[in-house]
Amino acid sequence: PPSHNLEMKHLPGADPELVLLSHRYEELERIPLSDMTREEINQLVQELGFYRKETPDAPVPEEFQFAPARPLPTLQAPAADGKTPPKRVEGEHPEL
């Protein structure tokens, strides 16, 4: 079954790899797939957080619309009063 936000492109002569992109289509990471079995690739996609749809046209639950996107790590310095800034809420996507 297809995964949401996952697109497969066959490039003749190229070694297979998984290219992870940001919501702005900036390359984040390349993962070589040539030494992996289909089962290992499916497990990797699941571990990365891609949502697997029942059918190609099945609706995607709201909480998985941006999956597998994760919030960016906070790189803020402590506030002037010395207190640590609040942590981000799980599932929050400030970059969107």
Side-chain angles (χ1 to χ4, degrees), residues 20-86:
L20 301 174
L21 303 173
S22 73
H23 71 283
R24 294 182 183 141
Y25 297 98
E26 298 164 328
E27 185 176 314
L28 300 174
E29 184 178 0
R30 286 181 179 257
I31 302 171
L33 303 175
S34 21
D35 294 333
M36 298 175 77
T37 66
R38 180 181 297 265
E39 292 79 24
E40 290 171 329
I41 293 169
N42 287 336
Q43 180 67 31
L44 172 64
V45 167
Q46 182 178 354
E47 288 171 3
L48 289 171
F50 286 92
Y51 176 76
R52 181 168 275 200
K53 299 192 287 185
E54 295 294 324
T55 63
D57 57 344
V60 177
E62 181 73 27
E63 64 269 22
F64 292 105
Q65 286 296 316
F66 298 106
R70 298 200 178 35
L72 296 172
T74 303
L75 300 176
Q76 299 173 339
D81 61 4
K83 295 181 181 176
T84 304

